[in-house]
Amino acid sequence: MSKIHVQCTINGEPTEFLCEARQSLLEVLREELGFTGTKEGCNDGNCGACSVTVDGVLVDSCLILAAEVQDKTVGTVEGLASAEGLHPLQQKFLEHASLQCGICTPGFLVASKALLDANPNPSQHEIRHWLAGNLCRCTGYDKIVRAVLDAAGTAE
Amino acid sequence: MRDFEYTAPSTLREAVKLLSEKGEAARVLAGGTDLIVQLRARRFQPERVVDVKNIPEVNELSVSPRKGLRIGAAVPCHRIYADEGVKEQFAGLTDASMIIGGIQIQGRASLGGNLCNASPSADSIPALIAYGAEAEVIGPDGKRKIAVEDFCTGPGSNALKPGEMLVAIRMPLPKNNSGGHYLRFIPRNEMDIAVVGAGAFVELGGRSKTRVFKSARIALAAVAPTPLLVAEAGASLEGQPVTEETIAAAAAIAQEAARPISDMRGPAEYRRHLVGVLTKRALIGAVKRANGEFVPNAVQSNGHPVYQLS
Ligand code: FES
Ligand code: FES
């Protein structure tokens, strides 16, 4: 079948790509566009490693077809750090040792950023609830939650 | 995943045409949180996928005194639970839409999709049934309405004919002194599938000390091949005083009506027990809301709501 031409904005940059209808956004981000920060864990919506935002809404990129992002704005973990340095969440994840193997980390960062954008001062309960769709199999969740709490205090 | 033709029509008319041309070989895409998993698992191998999210009617979420609540088939959960009008008048739908999957899933998954996917354990369906919701369907022969309790015909199958699609779910505005609640039991805190779910809607009459049930509707999840309206349980409350006893009697009727199976989520007897507990709680939560009290759902507070008549 012929390829689909998609125009969108990724991390602020206008982008276009060709994809097959069956390709997920995750697959296109990683394999066609080189955004390998977004990870594949389960490929069925359970682990959150593939978290991105689409028009500001947090979603699993394994459960969205690449063709669906026509005219949309996509945010990936590569968009977090700026020329000035790491995003406060990234800094706090480092300080609190909130990662071991790191495969879940981009998903947690993107999800946590979406949380702080929606709710700059979340309670611990709200953080745990928001991050329930992100799984970590090595670090445990305490250090991650502490990093987000700390970043919430410092992020402007 | 097999490749297919991806289409994204912007009118209902075009969508119906695209669906009718392919019949069973076409699938509707809304939030994709069930469909994309099923495509990958090759449970469906459609020739054509019709993404309906560019169609205005399926994205509309509106509450009006005359028309009631209208939820477009593709409106994602996060828009439903953020909506103040829904929170105020249909808190039982807020309950359900906040516990389907995690935040990422709620960013995409719609109640319309939850309904069409027709899982026996779907969280939103008992809540919709309790509120007396109707599915608005369009197809090659025009529009028709289907009561939500008649929409699911078996696990994973629904009443839509080839070429038809769900446009919206609508329900009347609740009268004064009414309230609804949905809750489920899962062994985890989040991100799980209901072992049992129960939804209730009640309308009360009488004075504050001598409240009576004017009407009640009770529906259950995960205890039958489809989400189940237990009309007899609701009817048993009509005209009865609001007491622990009348509520317990209605819960016993719901237990009788449940036809649970044993599976990895729990044995049938355990499920039947849960039906009793959850029906009582759903009714008490609905009564409290009818009385204007705030009843948090499973994720709105750290603690758990107190299910006691005050
Ligand atoms: S890879 Fe998308 S949720 Fe796990
Ligand atoms: S650090 Fe390894 S899975 Fe989270």
Side-chain angles (χ1 to χ4, degrees), chain A residues 26 38-51 59-63 133 135, chain B residues 40 104-105:
Chain A
L26 171 63
T38 306
K39 301 301 181 199
E40 177 182 322
C42 61
N43 212 24
D44 67 7
N46 274 292
C47 76
C50 66
S51 296
V59 301
D60 290 324
S61 62
C62 68
L63 289 190
L135 301 184
Chain B
R40 220 169 253 146
Q104 287 90 336
I105 299 297

